[in-house]
Amino acid sequence: MATESRSNFWRRSAKVPGRLLPVYGCSLCRSSLSLCRSHKDTSKVNSLKAKKASSFHEFAHSTNDAWDLDDEEDEEPLRGPAPSATPPDVSVQTEGPRCDPEPSRRLQPGPDARRFQENKQHLNGKVGRSMSDARVSSSSAHTTTVQKQRALPVRPIIPLVARISDQNASGPPMAVRDKSRLDKFRLLLASPSTDLEELRKHSWSGIPREVRPITWRLLSGYLPTNRGRRELVLQRKREEYFAFIEQYYQSRTEEHYRDTHRQIHIDIPRTNPLIPLFQQPLVQEVFERILFIWAIRHPASGYVQGINDLVTPFFVVFLSEFVTEDVENFEMSALPLQTQRSIEADTFWCMSKLLDGIQDNYTFAQPGIQNKVKALEELVSRIDEDIHGHLLRCEVEYLQFAFRWMNNLLMRELPRCTIRLWDTYQAEAEGFSHFHLYVCAAFLLEWRKQILSTGDFQGLLMLLQNLPTIHWGNEEVGLLLAEAYRLKYMFADAPSHYRR
């Protein structure tokens, strides 16, 4: 009798759909009419609230492997665990018993329910739980959690120079080709006078880990090509650096330099905050001395945020000369004091050589960066009119996304392969100042399809500022560099080439 009345109710009621839709968070049977009504009102409100927030979260999930570490993320470990990107099972607050139909008649989630499941209430960092959630068995909760973890991508926590030491760590047995390349490098470096042009030619496609420190010193101009003079030059330059420390470092507390030192002191802990090596007080003191001495010796620019990032590749490469295990977790204090001093001095001088070529990037108003961004815009307009015109129609300025590319030399965009990228920059005569422009152009063209398919200002800007490159490796960077070389060959000495 009860079954008959329920059937008649569904036939004659115009306000209730002919079939119960599944509700995320609880299982309903056909007898739970009051439960369905209660949930219907609640789900409408919640879905409206979640609609706007879900669009951004969906975009964040689609670009889950690219982001910029900001101050909030730096402070997360201090505040405690934040709400997870894939929170625990959530259900709508309802009243009444939970009915579990027979397995053969269990309601299957439709598309609306699945969408509701993905766009669960995650507003203002608060997640709502129902009383019925406490009654869910541990096995079904575990299954639901696993399913959601598979469905929703988890944002990996990757630091600025992500896995930068992997390129310096010991790997599998060397291939025949790699061993042949290493032998060529060793032969060049062992000659009485190293042929820099030949060394650049071999270094362009990457430098073997075993000879990278000495090769970088030579290509940066820190060491002379004459092999017999190298030790004397190293000794003199290292003594000169520590003479600067004795002469200038105590002035950091003076009023004239107090602001500079304070800014350096604030920025250093933010440099690769998730890599243990760079959070060691001893390493942070090294960085502080390097940056402060460089700043007071270059008063035209002084210290500018972003320069702190440029120290890390040199430091890691020169540290790897004395460390065979994982560099990122190495304890700096385990090295002899003289070795620590050598690494610090070499890092300072090589970073200084790099910045000598791009110092106008960091002078007042940063004219070097502005000129390079303007040159990038002009270059892209000649290479690909479609991309250039699309950016103009969407009112996206090149400065809005390319400023960081120039300021940080793509270190944040290519965190896994900074050292490989810098191998080629060191091999190019003006790699950091001139060739970098063509690398940025090739990098922009790499995302042509995604750019042209995004038709609004906000979407384009979010794409270009959060490009999904966290999984790029040396192979992808090698192809990017080859394309940049092609563009340079076609356009560098042909200012009117393809101009319309």
Side-chain angles (χ1 to χ4, degrees):
M1 186 70 183
T3 306
E4 248 181 351
S5 63
R6 282 198 301 272
S7 301
N8 294 331
F9 171 79
W10 290 116
R11 291 194 187 100
R12 69 172 178 266
S13 177
K15 295 183 179 180
V16 182
R19 182 179 300 166
L20 276 173
L21 289 177
V23 177
Y24 169 68
C26 60
S27 300
L28 301 176
C29 67
R30 297 181 183 275
S31 63
S32 305
L33 179 59
S34 60
L35 183 61
C36 179
R37 287 174 174 173
S38 172
H39 172 70
K40 182 178 177 183
D41 296 334
T42 309
S43 61
K44 281 184 179 179
V45 175
N46 290 334
S47 61
L48 287 173
K49 287 182 179 179
K51 185 177 180 181
K52 293 185 179 179
S54 66
S55 62
F56 177 79
H57 288 309
E58 287 173 1
F59 176 81
H61 289 315
S62 67
T63 57
N64 67 306
D65 55 356
W67 70 93
D68 186 9
L69 292 176
D70 54 20
D71 294 346
E72 291 183 1
E73 287 173 325
D74 292 346
E75 295 171 0
E76 271 187 4
L78 302 177
R79 293 200 303 260
S84 172
T86 55
D89 194 12
V90 182
S91 59
V92 183
Q93 294 189 6
T94 56
E95 295 180 357
R98 176 182 180 275
C99 299
D100 194 6
E102 298 175 2
S104 60
R105 301 177 60 187
R106 189 182 302 274
L107 296 174
Q108 298 300 322
D112 291 337
R114 286 196 296 269
R115 191 177 304 112
F116 182 79
Q117 175 178 351
E118 292 172 359
N119 299 334
K120 57 182 80 99
Q121 298 169 339
H122 193 46
L123 304 176
N124 301 322
K126 297 179 180 179
V127 179
R129 286 182 172 271
S130 70
M131 295 179 62
S132 64
D133 195 31
R135 301 186 182 94
V136 179
S137 65
S138 59
S139 60
S140 63
H142 175 72
T143 305
T144 307
T145 304
V146 171
Q147 289 175 350
K148 283 187 294 186
Q149 287 176 348
R150 290 176 180 172
L152 298 176
V154 180
R155 291 178 59 174
I157 300 177
I158 304 294
L160 169 62
V161 194
R163 316 266 33 108
I164 196 171
S165 62
D166 286 355
Q167 302 168 60
N168 290 283
S170 300
M174 194 177 300
V176 175
R177 180 178 176 274
D178 294 335
K179 188 176 186 305
S180 175
R181 291 189 72 244
L182 179 59
D183 291 340
K184 289 178 182 178
F185 271 93
R186 284 176 172 162
L187 186 63
L188 276 170
L189 296 171
S191 61
S193 182
T194 302
D195 186 345
L196 280 184
E197 288 303 316
E198 195 69 18
L199 186 62
R200 286 194 178 98
K201 186 189 302 182
H202 285 80
S203 301
W204 204 96
S205 56
I207 303 171
R209 173 187 58 84
E210 293 82 356
V211 294
R212 182 175 280 128
I214 181 67
T215 304
W216 276 28
R217 293 187 185 104
L218 284 165
L219 294 178
S220 64
Y222 174 43
L223 279 186
T225 57
N226 189 305
R227 186 183 178 191
R229 295 181 53 234
R230 290 174 192 167
E231 285 301 322
L232 292 174
V233 170
L234 278 177
Q235 182 180 351
R236 177 172 59 82
K237 298 296 282 185
R238 288 167 180 172
E239 290 174 355
E240 186 178 351
Y241 168 72
F242 284 101
F244 292 152
I245 296 290
E246 294 177 6
Q247 183 177 358
Y248 299 116
Y249 192 58
Q250 72 274 7
S251 64
R252 66 190 183 279
T253 57
E254 297 177 4
E255 185 177 355
H256 184 65
Y257 299 116
R258 193 174 299 158
D259 290 341
T260 299
H261 179 260
R262 177 181 173 277
Q263 189 61 58
I264 292 172
H265 191 71
I266 290 173
D267 287 348
I268 287 176
R270 299 173 178 174
T271 306
N272 301 291
L274 301 178
I275 295 183
L277 172 68
F278 297 115
Q279 298 310 303
Q280 297 175 25
L282 182 61
V283 174
Q284 293 185 355
E285 290 171 9
V286 168
F287 280 34
E288 189 172 300
R289 288 193 293 267
I290 289 173
L291 293 170
F292 183 76
I293 296 300
W294 188 89
I296 64 174
R297 293 189 74 243
H298 297 81
S301 62
Y303 172 75
V304 177
Q305 286 180 305
I307 296 178
N308 56 310
D309 293 337
L310 307 182
V311 181
T312 54
F314 291 113
F315 183 80
V316 169
V317 167
F318 297 142
L319 176 62
S320 68
E321 193 173 14
F322 305 97
V323 178
T324 55
E325 63 258 34
D326 182 14
V327 176
E328 292 180 358
N329 296 294
F330 181 75
E331 188 65 37
M332 186 73 174
S333 59
L335 290 175
L337 179 60
Q338 189 57 42
T339 301
Q340 297 177 28
R341 290 167 62 91
S342 300
I343 294 171
E344 180 177 346
D346 292 354
T347 300
F348 170 80
W349 287 114
C350 287
M351 187 200 72
S352 298
K353 291 288 185 180
L354 183 159
L355 289 172
D356 285 348
I358 57 173
Q359 189 174 353
D360 60 343
N361 285 8
Y362 305 104
T363 54
F364 178 73
Q366 298 182 275
I369 290 181
Q370 296 194 45
N371 292 336
K372 288 182 176 68
V373 171
K374 188 67 179 175
L376 176 65
E377 181 177 359
E378 194 271 339
L379 181 61
V380 172
S381 70
R382 294 161 57 197
I383 297 172
D384 195 321
E385 286 186 338
D386 292 339
I387 288 182
H388 180 68
H390 186 66
L391 293 175
L392 291 181
R393 284 191 296 274
C394 294
E395 299 182 348
V396 174
E397 299 286 343
Y398 281 72
L399 197 65
Q400 292 171 325
F401 63 87
F403 179 88
R404 192 175 71 184
W405 297 4
M406 304 298 178
N407 191 56
N408 296 94
L409 300 175
L410 289 176
M411 288 182 64
R412 294 182 182 270
E413 283 66 34
L414 303 172
R416 287 183 178 271
C417 22
T418 299
I419 289 180
R420 168 64 190 91
L421 181 68
W422 283 27
D423 283 347
T424 300
Y425 283 179
Q426 296 272 14
E428 284 281 333
E430 296 179 321
F432 294 98
S433 59
H434 184 62
F435 185 66
H436 179 67
L437 171 66
Y438 295 92
V439 174
C440 289
F443 188 61
L444 182 63
L445 299 179
E446 178 71 22
W447 311 100
R448 186 179 196 276
K449 182 179 178 181
Q450 293 89 328
I451 291 172
L452 295 179
S453 63
T454 306
D456 62 290
F457 171 83
Q458 182 180 358
L460 268 176
L461 204 57
M462 293 183 70
L463 169 67
L464 293 170
Q465 290 181 347
N466 299 277
L467 292 168
T469 57
I470 199 67
H471 299 299
W472 275 35
N474 290 349
E475 183 179 350
E476 288 82 1
V477 168
L479 294 173
L480 177 70
L481 291 167
E483 177 63 14
Y485 183 82
R486 185 186 71 83
L487 295 177
K488 178 188 174 186
Y489 184 81
M490 294 177 64
F491 293 95
D493 299 320
S496 299
H497 191 41
Y498 287 160
R499 186 187 293 277
R500 297 178 184 179

